[in-house]
Amino acid sequence: MIDVRRGADRYEGGDPDAGITTAHAFSFGRHYDPDNLRFGPVLACNEERLAPGAGFDEHPHSHTEIVTWVVEGELTHKGSTGESAVVRPGDVQHLAAGSGARHIERNDGAVPLRFVQTWLAPSAAGGEGGEPAYTLVRQIAEGTPYEIPAAGAALHVRRPGAGERVAVPAAERIYLHVVRGDLRLDGEELGPGDAARITGEQGLEIVAGSPGELLIWELP
């Protein structure tokens, strides 16, 4: 089964007056849809845009694996585990909130910031408690999966050139988010902001009509 969700149909959020605009793929905050709460362990996939100087003041998280992918600009992150980092395009940031963590996310740069943030629920086997942890992988290599053992998930970042084909991993579930490019999946045309929730499919390929960037989540 392939369930395509269009970027234009995402829930609008954030605080535009404060320079923050958000597009939510799942129920989030005041936007409640009982039929769109999660997909496997994926609880949220938010497209965030922060104007220069805008950001999220210190706020808490717990029992959540939070993975951030910067598309444009630079994200300044400061957390309660002592980390302080500037996250740039090509980097994978992972905050395992454990029993509780707090952090600040800001655009301290001079140009607009755009990033995609995915929240995953830990599995019972992965555990939900424990100390929070922070990981930052600089310039992750093409085709190298980033594992989230606590959620039984793995992130594949792919950047196909025009005409190239990308094999969809064989997994119980796949969540695919298009960052940029015009792509085709099993006859469906996908563009920036579009997503596909894939269940029980084998042998799928993505064909890039133009240079693209994809976040492909391999899920239990």
Side-chain angles (χ1 to χ4, degrees):
M1 177 180 174
I2 302 175
D3 179 9
V4 173
R5 305 290 180 109
R6 300 299 177 185
D9 296 329
R10 287 172 172 254
Y11 306 115
E12 295 182 1
D15 184 353
D17 291 339
I20 302 170
T21 58
T22 307
H24 300 288
F26 295 85
S27 287
F28 200 98
R30 67 180 182 275
H31 301 288
Y32 177 71
D33 179 352
D35 296 321
N36 190 27
L37 297 178
R38 63 189 293 170
F39 179 68
V42 177
L43 304 172
C45 182
N46 302 333
E47 289 189 323
E48 305 280 3
R49 296 176 185 267
L50 274 59
F56 300 100
D57 293 332
E58 187 175 79
H59 57 280
H61 291 282
S62 64
H63 311 309
T64 312
E65 306 291 316
I66 302 170
V67 178
T68 304
W69 177 258
V70 172
V71 180
E72 299 167 343
E74 296 182 344
L75 171 66
T76 296
H77 177 276
K78 297 179 181 179
S80 58
T81 60
E83 75 276 7
S84 179
V86 175
V87 188
R88 300 179 176 89
D91 300 342
V92 173
Q93 175 182 264
H94 174 204
L95 174 63
S99 57
R102 303 181 69 86
H103 69 163
I104 297 168
E105 298 165 295
R106 296 195 58 80
N107 179 7
D108 289 334
V111 299
L113 165 65
R114 176 183 165 209
F115 63 93
V116 178
Q117 191 169 86
T118 308
W119 298 12
L120 302 100
S123 63
E128 297 185 352
E131 293 297 316
Y134 178 83
T135 304
L136 179 59
V137 178
R138 296 289 190 192
Q139 299 301 304
I140 192 165
E142 171 77 15
T144 299
Y146 181 78
E147 306 279 349
I148 311 285
L155 172 64
H156 303 258
V157 179
R158 301 303 304 270
R159 304 181 188 89
E164 289 187 18
R165 295 175 177 269
V166 174
V168 176
E172 184 174 343
R173 296 183 183 91
I174 295 288
Y175 184 81
L176 185 155
H177 174 86
V178 180
V179 176
R180 54 169 60 93
D182 299 309
L183 310 164
R184 184 179 297 109
L185 172 66
D186 198 39
E188 289 278 359
E189 300 289 339
L190 303 177
D194 291 345
R197 306 176 190 188
I198 303 170
T199 306
E201 296 283 346
Q202 301 289 325
L204 291 176
E205 281 190 328
I206 299 156
V207 182
S210 63
E213 186 169 281
L214 300 164
L215 304 181
I216 304 174
W217 281 100
E218 187 176 353
L219 307 167

